[in-house]
Amino acid sequence: MDAARLPGTARPDQVVAHVDMDCFYAACEQRRDPDLAGEPLVVGMGYEGGETHGAVATASYEARAYGVESAMAISEALERLPRRADADDAAADEDAEATGIYRPVDMDYYESVAAEVKEILHAESDTVREVSIDEAYLDITDTVGWDGVAEWASELRATIESEVGVVASVGVAPTMSAAKVASDREKPDGQVVVEPGEVRTFFADLPVEEVHGVGPVTARELAELGIETAGDLAEADPEVLENRFGERGREIRRYARGEDTREVTPRGDPKSLSRESAFTEAVEATDEKRRKVTTLAQAVADRAGRKGARYQTVGIKVVEPPFDINTRARSLPGPVADADLVESIALDLLGEFADRPVRKLGVRVSNLDFSAGEQASLTGFESATGGGTAESAAGPDRTELEPEPTADGQASLTAFDGDESGASGDGTDASEDGTPENAGETDPSERDPDGQASLGDFG
């Protein structure tokens, strides 16, 4: 009997989706510069144009065909895939097929794109666990269920690609560990659904390193024990595994057998809450943009109310064609819960962009407070049930223009990062394996199956 149906394991009807962006950093660069699509592209951490130092953060599938891998030194990558000559070099056209394009990591931009993706994910489920800049788990038990889950996954992938311009792969299973493995099986731009009762069969013939928590080091040690497939691991003597790997030996055996009791849980309280919406085509009409912002402001305020959150900062995001991102924010003297105030501030901030074409709009509340207490008002503070006024935040001394544009003119989306729809704002790629509850699950040397290295690999 499959573990998904055994007492004490994940509930039989649980539906977990794992969404993993394909070659995310490279995809972001290709979105910014469409001419890079289909090219061997290497994104380097600590790399600067024309230099040979640094390490590969990710490589496009075209670059991987030349043996370029994540965490590889840039100098080694250049030996396998020389940097493409400048366009005015006469030899450039002749050698183009054997050369690659190198770009430095631009974390501000990648986080801005991740925020757009995760906004879509949070619209699909109230229970989302963001585990890194480019992946997340969703509990879709109550919103989707098993009937029609394949169609849902297909539509989700299409939505991400059409609205954000990057590609995702999706795995759906009754357990988190199986969903994660499933999302990697048909990359890029793939999906795999593993239904209850099929988890152990799904794992049986897979290489042992496909099991969640088994990296290259552990895989080599398991091979010394004659364990080469997930099926071998599922049938292994648990005492032998415990003697060799400690409690983690039993844990990876359980994962190989489809026994995973974890449920999708968000990572604590969000730092901010936001809603975004894109126009079919860029819009200049002021009234149409104001209507959009009004709707978004109401949605954000309602969401904050349902979560019991007050907020001290209200912000907007404005995307101008093609992907020029602008954010503006205004802070209050203290936390409030006032839907009318969110709308008033958002519309006021929008005024700067009244006559400019806009492709997408977003509204965000941040500096969240989940405790009961007093909230700011025009005259100071009042009880949390009272209401603030628009005037309490209208003065120019309360306005923060954020963020500063980056060197290439691309604005950072820090204002919309780290919230319930965005990536972490600390500039790192904190993975699931680094959290205390999962300590010991993964080899330190294990890389993302998608071939994208965590920035922590280069610390």
Side-chain angles (χ1 to χ4, degrees):
M1 180 182 294
D2 192 284
R5 301 181 183 277
L6 293 175
T9 61
R11 63 188 190 276
D13 60 343
Q14 179 174 247
V15 189
V16 178
H18 182 258
V19 180
D20 196 1
M21 309 309 298
D22 298 331
C23 294
F24 185 58
Y25 299 163
C28 289
E29 295 292 343
Q30 290 166 339
R31 166 184 135 150
R32 179 157 52 184
D33 182 357
D35 289 341
L36 295 177
E39 296 282 2
L41 175 63
V42 179
V43 179
M45 178 64 182
Y47 164 79
E48 296 179 5
E51 300 294 332
T52 60
H53 59 266
V56 176
T58 193
S60 67
Y61 289 100
E62 293 82 5
R64 294 180 198 180
Y66 293 89
V68 178
E69 300 175 354
S70 62
M72 176 182 288
I74 289 291
S75 57
E76 183 179 353
L78 287 168
E79 292 177 1
R80 302 185 182 198
L81 182 66
R83 184 169 28 234
R84 183 161 304 173
D86 293 335
D88 58 356
D89 190 318
D93 291 338
E94 297 179 11
D95 298 335
E97 293 185 3
T99 60
I101 299 169
Y102 286 72
R103 291 285 187 272
V105 165
D106 183 351
M107 189 51 63
D108 284 343
Y109 181 64
Y110 306 157
E111 287 177 345
S112 74
V113 178
E116 296 183 42
V117 173
K118 289 175 181 178
E119 177 68 17
I120 292 172
L121 301 186
H122 282 278
E124 294 292 330
S125 173
D126 289 333
T127 307
V128 179
R129 182 178 180 84
E130 300 173 13
V131 296
S132 74
I133 190 173
D134 62 347
E135 64 174 312
Y137 292 95
L138 290 73
D139 185 334
I140 54 173
T141 306
D142 297 328
T143 55
V144 181
W146 284 107
D147 294 336
V149 72
E151 181 180 359
W152 172 86
S154 180
E155 291 176 354
L156 175 64
R157 290 167 41 237
T159 297
I160 292 172
E161 184 171 10
S162 64
E163 293 191 8
V164 185
V166 293
V167 174
S169 291
V170 179
V172 183
T175 66
M176 291 178 66
S177 54
K180 182 175 177 64
V181 174
S183 69
D184 187 52
R185 294 310 300 161
E186 293 187 6
K187 278 182 171 288
D189 193 22
Q191 68 180 57
V192 172
V193 176
V194 183
E195 296 192 4
E198 299 178 355
V199 176
R200 190 163 174 179
T201 301
F202 168 70
F203 274 116
D205 296 327
L206 298 180
V208 72
E209 52 265 35
E210 295 280 359
V211 176
H212 184 54
V214 178
V217 175
T218 302
R220 286 194 294 270
E221 294 187 39
L222 288 169
E224 294 173 1
L225 299 175
I227 299 173
E228 297 184 350
T229 68
D232 295 338
L233 181 57
E235 297 295 336
D237 186 333
E239 292 187 4
V240 171
L241 294 172
E242 184 174 15
N243 290 338
R244 185 67 174 264
F245 303 102
E247 176 56 31
R248 191 166 71 91
R250 290 182 178 271
E251 183 175 63
I252 59 176
R253 178 179 180 271
R254 288 195 295 270
Y255 288 153
R257 296 169 65 87
E259 300 169 6
D260 184 355
T261 61
R262 297 175 301 161
E263 294 185 1
V264 180
T265 55
R267 288 178 176 270
D269 292 330
K271 296 178 182 179
S272 58
L273 299 167
S274 64
R275 277 283 187 250
E276 300 181 12
S277 181
F279 294 105
T280 304
E281 298 180 352
V283 169
E284 292 187 26
T286 300
D287 289 347
E288 191 169 352
K289 287 181 286 191
R290 287 177 63 87
R291 283 196 296 271
K292 179 82 77 175
V293 165
T294 295
T295 300
L296 294 171
Q298 292 171 347
V300 169
D302 177 68
R303 190 175 186 183
R306 286 187 281 111
K307 291 182 175 292
R310 294 182 296 156
Y311 30 86
Q312 191 167 344
T313 301
V314 178
I316 66 168
K317 169 184 171 183
V318 179
V319 181
E320 298 177 275
F323 291 106
D324 294 334
I325 301 168
N326 306 276
T327 60
R328 301 291 184 266
R330 184 170 295 166
S331 293
L332 296 158
V336 302
D338 188 330
D340 291 339
L341 184 56
V342 174
E343 179 182 341
S344 176
I345 294 174
L347 289 172
D348 190 38
L349 294 173
L350 179 66
E352 178 184 342
F353 305 91
D355 300 321
R356 288 151 66 171
V358 170
R359 170 176 187 275
K360 176 182 284 190
L361 290 166
V363 175
R364 182 202 67 156
V365 293
S366 60
N367 292 328
L368 302 184
D369 181 3
F370 291 87
S371 63
E374 297 181 329
Q375 72 174 18
S377 71
L378 183 60
T379 57
F381 289 86
E382 58 187 26
S383 68
T385 57
T389 64
E391 289 80 5
S392 67
D397 58 320
R398 294 296 180 190
T399 299
E400 302 169 353
L401 299 183
E402 53 180 347
E404 294 294 327
T406 57
D408 63 356
Q410 173 67 50
S412 161
L413 192 53
T414 304
F416 280 77
D417 292 343
D419 67 359
E420 240 194 16
S421 66
S424 62
D426 59 3
T428 62
D429 185 3
S431 68
E432 175 86 16
D433 305 315
T435 58
E437 63 267 33
N438 290 318
E441 284 186 7
T442 305
D443 289 339
S445 60
E446 184 175 10
R447 299 173 186 163
D448 189 303
D450 186 36
Q452 177 162 294
S454 160
L455 296 190
D457 293 342
F458 310 113

